[in-house]
C-alpha cells in the first residue's frame, strides 16, 4: 500500500492563470478650454482689486484703483466697487457736464443705481457750493451726507449709514460718484477716500 | 424641464438649479467644476445643432461679447445625452424685468425710465457694433438696482431660421416688420424698447389681445398692423396707468412704420429725457425725498438795511451749512426795490427825528450809530463873533463871558472825545453859544453821541455812556470729524 502510494503519479499542477484581458479605455474627449479671463464687467465675475488694479470710469480716459480686496466691475453705465462685507460700496460714472444741476442729477442717478435712498436733494443743493473736502487740487469735490448733515441718515438695503457725493472734472472729463458705508463699516470710508484720490486720467 | 440638476454637461458644467424655460430651450444655473465659477447654461433644441443658423448665432454672440452690459457667452458645445447644443454665459445680476414686475408690480415712472435708459445704453452699444438685438423681451433684460444687462444677443437669428412652435418672433415685443423677415435695423430695437417701457410702467404688453385669457393670433396680427391709440388711453383700457406726457414718446417708438420711429436709440432716449424733464412727470430719481418746495420770499432784502453797528445783520444770511432748506428761487428785482424804498423811508425818519430832537431837547445822549452818516445833522453854524471891547478902567465890571466851558465824563473812560468834529483835549472844551454835537469813542464800544445847546457863560458837565459793542458773529465753524471727512482741508 505504501508502495502503491509512492507510485501514485503526481497530480497535475494547476494551470497558470491567464493574464486578465487588457482593459481598453475609451479615449476621453479633451476638456473644453477654460473660459477666458473675466472682463470684469459685472460684479458676478468676482474681480478682486489689487494695488495694481486700474479700472476705467466712463470712456474718456479716467481710471482709478478701487480699495484692495474689493470686488469691482466696469459696468455699462457705471464703475462700481463693493467691499467684501457688502456694507461699503462706491460707484463712479463719467458725467455729462460739470454744471451744478447736471452734477446733482447724476449723483441722484448713481445713488439710485446703488439703491442708496434718503439723500435729500434740497440739502445737497444748498451745500453744493461748499464741498466738505476736495481732492486733486480742488478738482474733485466731496460732500458727506449723514444724519448730522441733513437730519436723516441715508440707507442702503435697509441699513443706515453715511453717503459721500463726489463730483468734479479731471483733465476736462466730468466725473460723478456716490459712496456709501453702512453703520458699523465706517472703517471702509478711509479706503474709499483713498481710492478716490487715485482717480485720474489714465494714459 | 428636460435636464435635472446635478447633470454635468460637457464633462465640466454641473447644473445646479433650473432658471427658466422657453420656446427656444431651457436655462440652468451651472457651476464650472474646474474653477467653481457660476454661469448660466442655456440648452437649445437639438435640431439646431450644427446648423448654419446655430453658427450664425454663435458668431453674433461672439461679436457682442465686448459690448458693455451684454451677458457674455463664454463657451458652447453639445450636451451628450440629448444632443442639445448649449451656450455658457455670464450669470445675470439681479432679476429679469419680467421677474421684477411679477413680484413688485409695475415700476414707478422714474425707475421705469431709468431702467429703460440702462437697457437703451446696452442696445446702443450693440448698434455701435452693428448688431441689432431683435429679441428684447422682459425675460432677457436684467435689472439690479439701476444696472441693466441684456442677454440673448443673436437668438433672434436662430429663432427666425428655425422658428419654434410659438413663431418666428416674440409676439408683443417685436415690431411687425420683423415677422415679415425684414433686414435687421436699429428701429426694431427702438420699437422693443418702447414696448418694454410700457411693460415696466403697466406690467402689460401694449396689445389688448395679449391681455385676454385666450390667445387670438389673428386679432394680435390685426393689432400689430394698426396704429396704437395714445398709450395713456391704452393703459387705462388695460387697467393701468401711464403719464399722458409720455404719449408722444410711445407714438414714435411704437410706430408701425420704421421710418416714423426714432431713428436711433439715442434719439429715443433724448426724447424721453425731454418729456420726463417736464414738470409733473416725476423726474425725481430714486432715493430722493421729495422735490424742492417753492421758496418763500428771499431773505436777501435785509442786508441793505444793515449797518456796521448791527453785527447780526452782517452774519451770513444764506442757509446754514447743515440746514435742510429749500434753495431760494431766483431773486426778483422787487425785493431790492422794496429794500431801497425802505432805506429811503428810514433815512427820512432819522433825519426828521434828529431834527425835532435837536429842536425840542436841550441835550440828549445817544448810544447808537444806526443812523447813516448822511443823515447826521450838520453842526450848527458858529455864532457871529462877539465884538471885542478893549479893557476899560478897572472899575468897570468884568466883561461878560462869550463861551461856555463843557466838561465831559465818560463811562467807561473814553479814548477820545470830539465836538463838532474837533478833538477835545483834557476832557473839557470851550464852546461858543449855540448847538453842538459831541461824540465819545472807546475801542470795542459803540460811540456815544451827545447833542446840546450852550449859552454864553454857562458851564456844562456832560456825561457820556458808552455801550459795549456786541462781538461780531463768527462764521459757523466747519464740522469735521465725519465718517468720510476727517479734517477740514
Amino acid at each position: 500500500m505504501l508502495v502503491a502510494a509512492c507510485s501514485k503519479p503526481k497530480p497535475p499542477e494547476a494551470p497558470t492563470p491567464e493574464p486578465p484581458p487588457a482593459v481598453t479605455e475609451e479615449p476621453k474627449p479633451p476638456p473644453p478650454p477654460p473660459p477666458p479671463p473675466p472682463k470684469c464687467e459685472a460684479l458676478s465675475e468676482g474681480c478682486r482689486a489689487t494695488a495694481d488694479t486700474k479700472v476705467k470710469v466712463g470712456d474718456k480716459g479716467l481710471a482709478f484703483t478701487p480699495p484692495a480686496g474689493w470686488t469691482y466691475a466696469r459696468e455699462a453705465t457705471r464703475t462700481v466697487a463693493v467691499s467684501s462685507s457688502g456694507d461699503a460700496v462706491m460707484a463712479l460714472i463719467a458725467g455729462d457736464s460739470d454744471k451744478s444741476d447736471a452734477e446733482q442729477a447724476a449723483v441722484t442717478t448713481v445713488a439710485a443705481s446703488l439703491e442708496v435712498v434718503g439723500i435729500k436733494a434740497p440739502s445737497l443743493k444748498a451745500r453744493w457750493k461748499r464741498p466738505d473736502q476736495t481732492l486733486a487740487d480742488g478738482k474733485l469735490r466731496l460732500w458727506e451726507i449723514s444724519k448730522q448733515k441733513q437730519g436723516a441718515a441715508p440707507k442702503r438695503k435697509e441699513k443706515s449709514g453715511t453717503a459721500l457725493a463726489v463730483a468734479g472734472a479731471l483733465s476736462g472729463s466730468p466725473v460723478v460718484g456716490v459712496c456709501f458705508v453702512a453703520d458699523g463699516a465706517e472703517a471702509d470710508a478711509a479706503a474709499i477716500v483713498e481710492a478716490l484720490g487715485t482717480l485720474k486720467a489714465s494714459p | 424641464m428636460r435636464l435635472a440638476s446635478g447633470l454635468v454637461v460637457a464633462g465640466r458644467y454641473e447644473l445646479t438649479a433650473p432658471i427658466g424655460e422657453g420656446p427656444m430651450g431651457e436655462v440652468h444655473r451651472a457651476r464650472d467644476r474646474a474653477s467653481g465659477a457660476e454661469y448660466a447654461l442655456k440648452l437649445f433644441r437639438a435640431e439646431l445643432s450644427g446648423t448654419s443658423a446655430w453658427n450664425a448665432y454663435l458668431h453674433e454672440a461672439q461679436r457682442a461679447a465686448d459690448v458693455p452690459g451684454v451677458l457674455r457667452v463664454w463657451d458652447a458645445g453639445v450636451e451628450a445625452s440629448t444632443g442639445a447644443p448649449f451656450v455658457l454665459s455670464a450669470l445675470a445680476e439681479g432679476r429679469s424685468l419680467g421677474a421684477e414686475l411679477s413680484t413688485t408690480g409695475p415700476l414707478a415712472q422714474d425707475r421705469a425710465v431709468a431702467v429703460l435708459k440702462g437697457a437703451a445704453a446696452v442696445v446702443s452699444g450693440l448698434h455701435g457694433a452693428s448688431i441689432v438685438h431683435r429679441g428684447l423681451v422682459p425675460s432677457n433684460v436684467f435689472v439690479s438696482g439701476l444696472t441693466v444687462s441684456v442677454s440673448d444677443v443673436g437668438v433672434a437669428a436662430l429663432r427666425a431660421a428655425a422658428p419654434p412652435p410659438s413663431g418666428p418672433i416674440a409676439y408683443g415685443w417685436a415690431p411687425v416688420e420683423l415677422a415679415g423677415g425684414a433686414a435687421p435695423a436699429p428701429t426694431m430695437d427702438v420699437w422693443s424698447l418702447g414696448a418694454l417701457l410700457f411693460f415696466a410702467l403697466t406690467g402689460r404688453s401694449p396689445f389688448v389681445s395679449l391681455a385676454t385669457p385666450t390667445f387670438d393670433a389673428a386679432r394680435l396680427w390685426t393689432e400689430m398692423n394698426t396704429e396704437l391709440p395714445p398709450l395713456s388711453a391704452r393703459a387705462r383700457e388695460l387697467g393701468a396707468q401711464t403719464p399722458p406726457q409720455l404719449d408722444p414718446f410711445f407714438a414714435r417708438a411704437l410706430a408701425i412704420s420704421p421710418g416714423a420711429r426714432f431713428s436711433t436709440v439715442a434719439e429715443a432716449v433724448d426724447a424721453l429725457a425731454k418729456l420726463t424733464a417736464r414738470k409733473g412727470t416725476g423726474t425725481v430719481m430714486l432715493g430722493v425725498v421729495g422735490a424742492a418746495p417753492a421758496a418763500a420770499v428771499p431773505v436777501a432784502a435785509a442786508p441793505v438795511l444793515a449797518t456796521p453797528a448791527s453785527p447780526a445783520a452782517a452774519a451770513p444770511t444764506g442757509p446754514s451749512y447743515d440746514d435742510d432748506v429749500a434753495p431760494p428761487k431766483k431773486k426778483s428785482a422787487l425785493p431790492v426795490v422794496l429794500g431801497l424804498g425802505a432805506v429811503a423811508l428810514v433815512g427820512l425818519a432819522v433825519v426828521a427825528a434828529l431834527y425835532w430832537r435837536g429842536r425840542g431837547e436841550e441835550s440828549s445822549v445817544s448810544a447808537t450809530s444806526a443812523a447813516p452818516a448822511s443823515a447826521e445833522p450838520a453842526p450848527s453854524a458858529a455864532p457871529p463873533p462877539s465884538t471885542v471891547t478893549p479893557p476899560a478902567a478897572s472899575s468897570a465890571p468884568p466883561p461878560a463871558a462869550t463861551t461856555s466851558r463843557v466838561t465831559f465824563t465818560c463811562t467807561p473812560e473814553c479814548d477820545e472825545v470830539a465836538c463838532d468834529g474837533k478833538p477835545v483835549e483834557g476832557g473839557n472844551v470851550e464852546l461858543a453859544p449855540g448847538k453842538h454835537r459831541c461824540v465819545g469813542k472807546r475801542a470795542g464800544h459803540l460811540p456815544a453821541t451827545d447833542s446840546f445847546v450852550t449859552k454864553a457863560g454857562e458851564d456844562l458837565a456832560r456825561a457820556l455812556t458808552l455801550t459795549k459793542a456786541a462781538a461780531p458773529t463768527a462764521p459757523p465753524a466747519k464740522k469735521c470729524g465725519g465718517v468720510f471727512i476727517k479734517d477740514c482741508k
Side-chain angles (χ1 to χ4, degrees):
Chain A
M1 203 159 155
L2 183 64
V3 173
C6 291
S7 63
K8 191 175 181 181
K10 289 182 178 178
E13 291 182 0
T16 306
E18 291 184 7
V23 177
T24 55
E25 292 183 357
E26 290 186 6
K28 288 183 178 176
K39 294 175 66 178
C40 304
E41 290 176 346
L43 289 173
S44 58
E45 295 180 50
C47 296
R48 294 291 178 92
T50 67
D52 298 327
T53 301
K54 296 283 183 191
V55 195
K56 288 184 179 177
V57 177
D59 55 3
K60 294 180 182 174
L62 295 182
F64 82 112
T65 301
W70 285 31
T71 304
Y72 70 92
R74 184 192 176 204
E75 299 173 344
T77 56
R78 62 176 187 176
T79 299
V80 61
V82 184
S83 69
S84 54
S85 68
D87 284 343
V89 61
M90 61 187 298
L92 297 167
I93 65 170
D96 295 328
S97 163
D98 59 359
K99 293 185 177 177
S100 296
D101 289 348
E103 287 179 334
Q104 290 162 43
V107 163
T108 306
T109 302
V110 178
S113 80
L114 289 176
E115 300 179 78
V116 172
V117 299
I119 293 178
K120 295 187 176 181
S123 174
L124 195 58
K125 185 168 185 173
R127 297 168 55 197
W128 202 253
K129 289 185 178 177
R130 291 187 291 183
D132 295 334
Q133 187 175 330
T134 61
L135 299 174
D137 296 328
K139 294 173 185 170
L140 199 62
R141 293 160 289 139
L142 313 179
W143 295 263
E144 184 159 310
I145 303 163
S146 61
K147 184 175 182 181
Q148 288 72 30
K149 293 285 185 182
Q150 64 170 17
K155 285 186 177 180
R156 180 172 183 265
K157 296 181 178 176
E158 302 304 319
K159 289 186 178 179
S160 295
T162 304
L164 184 73
V166 183
L170 300 173
S171 302
S173 300
V175 62
V176 172
V178 172
C179 313
F180 180 87
V181 292
D183 293 341
E186 289 86 352
D188 288 325
I192 288 176
V193 175
E194 185 180 353
L196 290 172
T198 68
L199 185 63
K200 59 184 176 182
S202 181
Chain B
M1 285 290 167
R2 293 175 301 173
L3 300 180
S5 295
L7 180 73
V8 178
V9 175
R12 178 169 178 171
Y13 306 118
E14 180 182 351
L15 306 186
T16 56
I19 292 177
E21 188 175 17
M24 298 299 291
E26 58 191 82
V27 189
H28 295 259
R29 194 180 184 97
R31 186 177 65 86
D32 177 15
R33 286 183 160 181
S35 66
E38 297 275 334
Y39 295 94
L41 193 143
K42 187 164 192 171
L43 289 138
F44 292 83
R45 288 177 286 130
E47 62 265 30
L48 293 170
S49 183
T51 62
S52 58
W54 177 256
N55 293 335
Y57 158 60
L58 289 183
H59 178 66
E60 193 156 296
Q62 191 174 6
R63 285 202 300 130
D66 290 331
V67 175
V70 169
L71 294 179
R72 183 186 179 121
V73 169
W74 292 111
D75 199 2
V78 175
E79 198 283 309
S81 65
T82 59
F86 74 87
V87 292
L88 186 81
S89 69
L91 204 55
E93 275 190 73
R95 295 185 293 185
S96 72
L97 186 59
E100 175 103 354
L101 263 71
S102 67
T103 54
T104 65
L107 304 183
Q109 181 189 321
D110 49 4
R111 180 164 169 77
V113 169
V115 167
L116 184 91
K117 286 180 178 176
V122 180
V123 173
S124 190
L126 283 171
H127 293 176
S130 302
I131 299 169
V132 180
H133 192 291
R134 320 194 291 291
L136 291 166
V137 294
S139 62
N140 61 25
V141 174
F142 296 90
V143 182
S144 174
L146 280 187
T147 300
V148 178
S149 53
V150 170
S151 69
D152 289 350
V153 176
V155 172
L158 205 57
R159 185 170 186 140
S166 57
I169 64 168
Y171 288 104
W173 307 110
V176 67
E177 74 269 16
L178 196 52
T187 49
M188 294 174 170
D189 287 342
V190 167
W191 193 98
S192 297
L193 288 170
L196 285 176
L197 178 60
F198 185 81
F199 173 77
L201 290 166
T202 64
R204 296 180 182 281
S205 157
F207 298 113
V208 174
S209 52
L210 288 173
T212 55
T214 54
F215 175 63
D216 184 342
R219 187 181 172 199
L220 174 61
W221 186 249
T222 303
E223 269 199 286
M224 290 179 72
N225 285 280
T226 308
E227 290 292 355
L228 288 161
L231 267 283
S232 56
R234 172 53 54 88
R236 283 194 300 275
E237 195 178 345
L238 294 168
Q241 283 187 330
T242 62
Q245 291 91 333
L246 295 183
D247 283 349
F249 170 80
F250 286 122
R252 283 198 65 188
L254 296 172
I256 292 177
S257 167
R261 292 178 205 146
F262 300 109
S263 58
T264 64
V265 170
E267 188 186 348
V269 170
D270 283 349
L272 186 60
K274 286 174 185 169
L275 290 170
T276 53
R278 289 180 188 168
K279 185 180 177 185
T281 54
T283 56
V284 179
M285 295 294 183
L286 294 178
V288 179
V289 182
V297 176
V299 294
V304 298
L305 294 174
T307 68
S310 179
T317 56
S320 70
Y321 197 68
D322 299 324
D323 280 354
D324 183 12
V325 294
K329 280 185 175 177
K330 188 177 180 180
K331 293 171 187 173
S332 72
L334 181 61
V336 176
V337 172
L338 291 174
L340 291 173
V343 169
L345 286 172
V346 169
L348 284 172
V350 168
V351 169
L354 289 173
Y355 174 76
W356 285 108
R357 186 163 58 185
R359 288 188 57 164
E361 295 178 11
E362 184 174 297
S363 65
S364 68
V365 175
S366 171
T368 179
S369 65
S374 61
E376 289 182 9
S380 301
S386 304
T387 303
V388 177
T389 306
S394 58
S395 59
T402 58
T403 60
S404 172
R405 174 172 289 271
V406 181
T407 304
F408 294 98
T409 55
C410 292
T411 306
E413 187 177 356
C414 289
D415 292 335
E416 62 174 277
V417 176
C419 286
D420 303 329
K422 295 177 182 175
V424 173
E425 301 292 341
N428 57 70
V429 62
E430 294 285 340
L431 295 174
K435 289 199 293 185
H436 301 276
R437 182 172 183 270
C438 301
V439 178
K441 295 180 180 177
R442 177 183 170 85
H445 292 70
L446 300 174
T449 303
D450 188 10
S451 296
F452 53 88
V453 178
T454 59
K455 295 177 182 175
E458 185 180 59
D459 294 343
L460 292 175
R462 308 299 301 177
L464 300 177
T465 302
L466 295 100
T467 305
K468 197 169 184 177
T473 305
K478 276 192 172 182
K479 292 181 180 177
C480 304
V483 173
F484 289 97
I485 311 299
K486 297 295 183 188
D487 52 25
C488 286
K489 286 179 182 175

